[in-house]
Amino acid sequence: MENLNYQELVKKIIYKYVNEQPKEDLENTEIVFDTERDRYLLLYVGWNDEERVYGCPIHLSIKDEKIWIQRDFTEEGIANQLVELGVPTTDIVLGFRSPYVRQFTGFASV
């Protein structure tokens, strides 16, 4: 099996969500890629009239050759998308789940 480039897959998923947003929402959208430490975030930062906008719907990390999903506020589920892209479930960690619960998820239980 061909080796997958996890950095590129993670970036691809985040760009997919950015490209699906209405243009008026892009003003408050920030993409943060720390490729040195393998941290990848999608952020909403700004103002909507007098209301502060701040949120992190996607936070992914790559550690020990596994993709850690630290936060996933997507409808499709990032883990499912990664599996569709060919990532083995043993290389996906649901970091937002407690270590005890991870063993029952069907994904890596690091």
Side-chain angles (χ1 to χ4, degrees):
M1 181 178 186
E2 180 182 326
N3 285 341
L4 296 171
N5 183 327
Y6 287 171
Q7 285 186 337
E8 292 306 315
L9 290 178
V10 165
K11 290 177 185 177
K12 181 178 179 176
I13 286 174
I14 290 176
Y15 279 127
K16 174 183 173 262
Y17 281 98
V18 170
N19 291 330
E20 291 175 350
Q21 294 182 28
K23 285 187 177 186
E24 59 270 13
D25 291 346
L26 292 177
E27 182 178 319
N28 293 329
T29 301
E30 294 185 8
I31 298 170
V32 180
F33 292 160
D34 178 352
T35 55
E36 186 175 315
R37 293 175 196 82
D38 277 329
R39 307 293 191 257
Y40 307 87
L41 297 99
L42 174 63
L43 300 172
Y44 299 125
V45 180
W47 290 91
N48 183 7
D49 295 325
E50 292 298 316
E51 185 177 336
R52 176 76 173 151
V53 174
Y54 184 84
C56 176
I58 299 175
H59 178 175
L60 305 170
S61 305
I62 300 172
K63 295 190 281 187
D64 301 325
E65 300 179 17
K66 297 185 185 309
I67 299 173
W68 285 68
I69 302 171
Q70 306 291 1
R71 188 168 190 127
D72 179 4
F73 276 25
T74 67
E75 289 185 28
E76 299 173 74
I78 291 173
N80 295 330
Q81 294 174 63
L82 290 169
V83 170
E84 287 178 14
L85 292 170
V87 178
T89 57
T90 54
D91 285 359
I92 301 169
V93 180
L94 303 181
F96 57 88
R97 298 279 187 200
S98 75
Y100 173 75
V101 171
R102 285 184 209 146
Q103 64 184 316
F104 305 111
T105 63
F107 294 96
S109 59
V110 176

